[in-house]
Amino acid sequence: MIDFGDEVKNRKTASALAFFTGAPNTAGRRSRRYPHASRPATCHDRPPQMGTRVVMHLRQIDLNLLYVFHQVMTHRSISLASEELNVSASAVSHALARLRQTLNDELFVRGENGMVPTARALALAGPVQNAVMLLGAALNASPFVPAESRRTFRIAAGDLFCSITLPKLLARLAVAAPAVDLKVVPLSRTDFRRQIESASVDLLIGWFETLPETLRRTELMTERAALLVREGHPLLDGEVTTARLLAYPHAVVELTGTDEMRTDGFQDDRGLVRRVWIERAVLEAPASVTPAPRVAVSVPYFTALAPLLRGSDLVATLPARLARSALAQGGLRRLDPALEPIEVTLEMAYRACDEGDEGLAWLRAQLQAASEDTQEDVA
């Protein structure tokens, strides 16, 4: 990542802020140190009305302003962007004002939850983010040698990955890259697209319906779901039809851990649509079913389900391998419902601009190999 704030971090002088603000010198001439700081505007330099699209050449824009734009787009906050850049909020505001004038667009407007991007800003976000990442990679490029690397990779994932794939991955790293570290953050953190585009994490691991053009996906493994209930549950007597199944309250794992979950069991993060339930009975319940299926409780982790089931009449769906582990601990039974069990494909998503990163390419290959190892365990 380009450290745009080093100029201010090292100098901490008023003149360094001109790097962002483009303030002209007292003589009104173009500064040699800051060539983007031009003479004061006259009536002949009046810009077009805000919102008018202007055809531009790259030489007409201070590229530093695009990095400010990238940080504001990432954090949706002037203050958070200023912290990331290690400059004052006023400096960021001045830089944003200059970019607004250059592009003749508001770019961001203040909303209840931060800075809301305009349509033009949203159109710029992907290309600017890719350019920043590619430039940062070019400036810091060095051969990746697994056995010598001390790099830390960051992954956002849930307990399915941590329970099944992560142990296999760590075993591989211990041999091939003993000094490489992993930082796995919970998948329940909000706004995954912003998280990965800001490089807070290197990979997302989950299952996704659609992805924005700035992200790529690779399949890791396919897992079949299993329905569990407590020992002695009424559903264990007789055929498990859809109607009977939906007559009991369900516990689901809501993989985002937020209140923004859509009612159909999916969530959309500005182009990234991911499935947040694997509860097929509830997801695909016919509209004619009476009473309507009830989700009595949602939790962020599959490993939280077994204790809930043992003390209630709840029904829950777990990935088959986690279900086998829960069954081995006792007190639970697996249902054999009339409907075909769902299969979910666990995938990893990563930034398209990282395809040239040797270290991340190596990690993705290790993840795929570790996932194949887990599939062999099932076979």
Side-chain angles (χ1 to χ4, degrees), residues 261-326:
M261 179 181 58
R262 289 172 12 180
T263 56
D264 58 1
F266 294 82
Q267 181 166 328
D268 185 351
D269 282 315
R270 296 176 289 128
L272 192 161
V273 179
R274 64 193 182 284
R275 191 163 194 161
V276 297
W277 297 349
I278 63 169
E279 177 58 272
R280 177 173 179 174
V282 177
L283 282 172
E284 301 180 1
S288 58
V289 170
T290 303
R294 176 186 169 216
V295 175
V297 60
S298 64
V299 294
Y301 305 110
F302 288 110
T303 49
L305 290 175
L308 300 179
L309 296 179
R310 291 189 180 100
S312 69
D313 283 341
L314 290 167
V315 180
T317 302
L318 283 78
R321 273 171 279 194
L322 293 183
R324 283 197 293 272
S325 176

Side-chain angles (χ1 to χ4, degrees), residues 73-75 129 133 154-157 184-204 215 269-270 272 274 351:
M73 174 62 74
T74 297
H75 299 287
Q129 189 260 347
M133 294 294 183
R154 295 153 298 181
I155 301 171
V184 182
V185 298
L187 201 63
S188 59
R189 291 175 65 177
T190 60
D191 200 345
F192 289 88
R193 180 173 175 180
R194 188 185 307 175
Q195 193 175 13
I196 193 166
E197 288 188 347
S198 66
S200 297
V201 298
D202 300 306
L203 297 171
L204 300 177
L215 299 182
D269 282 315
R270 296 176 289 128
L272 192 161
R274 64 193 182 284
R351 296 176 291 271

Side-chain angles (χ1 to χ4, degrees), residues 153-311:
F153 295 102
R154 295 153 298 181
I155 301 171
D159 57 344
L160 174 59
F161 166 80
C162 291
S163 300
I164 296 175
T165 308
L166 185 57
K168 300 286 186 180
L169 177 61
L170 289 177
R172 287 180 164 272
L173 297 189
V175 175
V180 164
D181 295 329
L182 297 180
K183 182 177 181 180
V184 182
V185 298
L187 201 63
S188 59
R189 291 175 65 177
T190 60
D191 200 345
F192 289 88
R193 180 173 175 180
R194 188 185 307 175
Q195 193 175 13
I196 193 166
E197 288 188 347
S198 66
S200 297
V201 298
D202 300 306
L203 297 171
L204 300 177
I205 296 180
W207 46 85
F208 311 98
E209 292 296 307
T210 62
L211 292 175
E213 293 181 357
T214 55
L215 299 182
R216 298 288 183 267
R217 70 204 303 169
T218 301
E219 181 177 323
L220 289 178
M221 67 179 187
T222 298
E223 181 77 352
R224 176 168 286 199
L227 278 167
L228 298 187
V229 295
R230 64 170 174 83
E231 289 273 11
H233 196 287
L235 281 172
L236 294 171
D237 297 324
E239 182 182 4
V240 184
T241 63
T242 300
R244 289 190 68 208
L245 188 61
L246 296 177
Y248 289 89
H250 286 245
V252 302
V253 171
E254 190 260 285
L255 295 175
T256 64
T258 74
D259 292 330
E260 301 171 4
M261 179 181 58
R262 289 172 12 180
T263 56
D264 58 1
F266 294 82
Q267 181 166 328
D268 185 351
D269 282 315
R270 296 176 289 128
L272 192 161
V273 179
R274 64 193 182 284
R275 191 163 194 161
V276 297
W277 297 349
I278 63 169
E279 177 58 272
R280 177 173 179 174
V282 177
L283 282 172
E284 301 180 1
S288 58
V289 170
T290 303
R294 176 186 169 216
V295 175
V297 60
S298 64
V299 294
Y301 305 110
F302 288 110
T303 49
L305 290 175
L308 300 179
L309 296 179
R310 291 189 180 100

